[in-house]
Amino acid sequence: MQKNLVVENCFEEQKEYCNKIKEISKKIYKKDTPLAFVRTYGCQQNVSDGEKIKGMLSEMGYSFTDDEKEANFILFNTCAIREHAQDKVFGNVGALKHIKRANPETIIALCGCMTEQEHVIERIKESYPFVDLVFGTHSLQYFPMLLHNVMNNNERLFDTTSIDERIFEGIPVRRDGAIKAWLPIMYGCNNFCSYCIVPYVRGRERSRRAEDIIEEAKELINSGYKDITLLGQNVNSYGNNLEDGINFAELLRRIDDIDGEYTIRFMTSHPKDATRELIDTIAQSKHISSHFHLPFQSGNNRVLKAMNRKYTREKYLEIINYAKSKIKDVSLTSDVIVGFPGETYEEFQDTISLIKEVGFSSLFMFIYSPRVGTPAAKLPDIISKEEKKRWFKELVDTQEKISARVLSNLVGKNMKVLVESKGDKSGLVARTSGNIVVEMDGSEDLIGKFKDIEIIESKNYVLKGKLL
Ligand code: SAH
Ligand code: SF4
Ligand code: F3S
């Protein structure tokens, strides 16, 4: 029983295009398994989309390479969140010109959040003639058909579909890891924070059906995944478009009921919708991590209002304090923006005082970047870049001391960690339930296992542990 939700299983018809591409590839590239290079920028949602793109490419007979020069197909899955992210993509796309010149048969494609913006499309059309295929986040599920059309007609294709009220199930996924997995529970965003491009490039918020999510979680757990992150721009509004009345806390409880040894994480939570019910659910669960990522963006109420965040500093601190009181060893992290248009140094000091009061274990800090078409981009902004960089440095220096203190408080404690990989030089890298990285000694056969350790040392953002 859904309202405003159309769930489609689109991949059966796309399979035909996958088979056709296999045939065309044999003719063009003279090989059975052509090579694809896929690079993803941006957030976990994009990483998850990248895994679907790779799943679809596998169906088309491609295998993968890290070397652009030997690839028959090159795709950049782009991010538009800040100017810097976008510039990086344009720079790297520009460099592909030489590859196309050396191998005219290589197909070059762009997708993701950048390509949902008209001014970006225009720029690619005019200044990057060697880009063959461009498609937005709303066309992801038609990728085989689009690529087929480019190969078959031998002409450039720009797909700018803007229909975004549908959910597509059944797209194959080729996951990057065997221990950690991303599990999207919803798409899009309705919040329109005044600085943010995401609602414009990802469309309206829509939640997947709980039964589809639980099925996927079961499959992941049964095939050995140990650390599953539920994804959405605002997971706390999960279920708003579903008629069965399910909310995020209830979804978490249903997933938590699945048998097995695993950790559930989620991101991102919006403070305006973070409830005591959610915190209680985390506190009482068997599998939900003790990590709570709750972006606050600014510690000043006037700036929060201008950002259209719909909560106050006081409301934010109230939910944080409730989490501290209920969740054992909770690890708090957040996102913050420095230099929002009109922000004064005094208002910025409210951000500094908030981080001191909360004690985040780590913090993602950004200098405000104007995005075309957002309300904030039209606001007067008189503070110079240099001045904003000074504020940013003050924030980074303050947070470094806070993280060092928060992590040093963990020394001497015993904890369960998930061993994730080999270290860069030696030893192993593990992660606490609170999402803090731990370096430790041990043999490689511990990778993928939960182990009890003692924390013996702390650095700024990393802990050292020893097996118990
Ligand atoms: N949906 C999530 C995060 C989205 S983007 C949330 O609401 O928390 C991740 C972070 O990028 C945001 O939390 C914000 O801190 C930052 N960000 C978004 N737009 C930005 C902009 N225009 N300039 C600088 N930072 C930005
Ligand atoms: Fe952007 Fe706000 Fe939506 Fe997050 S909640 S994606 S910051 S508009
Ligand atoms: Fe970037 Fe799009 Fe994510 S803009 S941060 S990749 S939703």
Side-chain angles (χ1 to χ4, degrees), residues 61-253:
Y62 284 80
S63 59
F64 297 89
T65 172
D66 290 330
D67 180 2
E68 286 145 293
K69 288 192 206 71
E70 65 168 11
N72 303 105
F73 175 73
I74 298 176
L75 178 119
F76 287 175
N77 181 22
T78 64
C79 169
I81 200 78
R82 284 169 289 274
E83 197 60 44
H84 180 69
Q86 208 154 285
D87 288 347
K88 214 161 65 182
V89 172
F90 276 124
N92 291 339
V93 174
L96 296 177
K97 186 175 173 178
H98 307 290
I99 293 187
K100 185 79 173 181
R101 196 176 288 155
N103 302 309
E105 255 125 44
T106 305
I107 291 178
I108 296 177
L110 298 181
C111 68
C113 293
M114 261 173 80
T115 59
E116 284 290 336
Q117 302 171 96
E118 228 164 86
H119 65 100
V120 170
I121 297 275
E122 286 314 309
R123 185 165 162 190
I124 297 164
K125 274 188 183 158
E126 278 165 32
S127 311
Y128 301 86
F130 48 88
V131 173
D132 302 291
L133 168 62
V134 176
F135 60 98
T137 58
H138 307 310
S139 320
L140 185 78
Q141 53 284 338
Y142 304 122
F143 167 49
M145 178 185 79
L146 298 171
L147 181 58
H148 168 265
N149 291 353
V150 171
M151 292 172 108
N152 200 41
N153 307 339
N154 205 10
E155 61 185 24
R156 302 180 87 189
L157 197 162
F158 290 78
D159 184 284
T160 47
T161 312
S162 59
I163 307 162
D164 64 6
E165 75 274 19
R166 290 170 298 176
I167 295 246
F168 291 93
E169 297 292 347
I171 301 176
V173 181
R174 185 180 184 275
R175 295 186 195 273
D176 293 336
I179 301 170
K180 291 167 77 145
W182 310 113
L183 204 180
I185 63 166
M186 57 205 296
Y187 305 98
C189 181
N190 283 354
N191 293 305
F192 289 95
C193 302
S194 63
Y195 50 82
C196 183
I197 195 74
V198 172
Y200 304 88
V201 296
R202 288 268 170 189
R204 293 296 59 73
E205 182 182 287
R206 51 221 184 268
S207 302
R208 289 178 72 192
R209 291 181 300 212
E211 57 265 38
D212 293 330
I213 297 168
I214 289 162
E215 196 52 44
E216 191 171 340
K218 278 185 186 157
E219 273 168 31
L220 287 169
I221 293 161
N222 290 338
S223 45
Y225 284 90
K226 300 289 180 212
D227 186 316
I228 298 169
T229 305
L230 310 179
L231 297 179
Q233 294 300 342
N234 174 13
V235 291
N236 297 333
S237 58
Y238 173 79
N240 280 357
N241 65 314
L242 301 177
E243 253 182 9
D244 49 14
I246 185 169
N247 66 8
F248 183 54
E250 174 61 21
L251 178 74
L252 279 176
R253 288 192 288 268

Side-chain angles (χ1 to χ4, degrees), residues 256-373:
D256 190 46
D257 280 343
I258 303 171
D259 284 334
E261 199 180 26
Y262 62 91
T263 300
I264 291 291
R265 304 179 184 280
F266 56 89
M267 67 188 311
T268 299
S269 286
H270 195 307
K272 80 177 165 62
D273 302 310
T275 58
R276 289 188 170 216
E277 183 196 5
L278 170 66
I279 308 269
D280 293 340
T281 300
I282 301 171
Q284 288 155 16
S285 76
K286 293 188 288 286
H287 301 104
I288 306 170
S289 78
S290 56
H291 173 208
F292 197 27
H293 179 69
L294 195 64
F296 71 96
Q297 313 298 0
S298 164
N300 176 273
N301 283 338
R302 191 201 65 80
V303 176
L304 283 172
K305 195 155 201 280
M307 288 176 162
N308 193 30
R309 289 288 288 180
K310 301 201 175 84
Y311 54 86
T312 58
R313 172 192 178 100
E314 293 71 29
K315 160 100 198 301
Y316 181 84
L317 288 171
E318 188 193 309
I319 196 80
I320 286 286
N321 287 331
Y322 189 69
K324 282 181 180 172
S325 74
K326 288 279 168 168
I327 307 169
K328 187 175 170 281
D329 288 331
V330 67
S331 160
L332 299 161
T333 61
S334 197
D335 295 352
V336 55
I337 296 176
V338 174
F340 183 79
E343 186 178 26
T344 64
Y345 184 69
E346 286 66 39
E347 288 169 337
F348 165 68
Q349 286 305 310
D350 288 340
T351 287
I352 295 281
S353 74
L354 186 140
I355 67 167
K356 286 183 178 161
E357 188 168 340
V358 174
F360 295 108
S361 51
S362 71
L363 187 60
F364 298 89
M365 299 167 265
F366 307 104
I367 294 182
Y368 168 74
S369 169
R371 311 313 296 129
V372 175

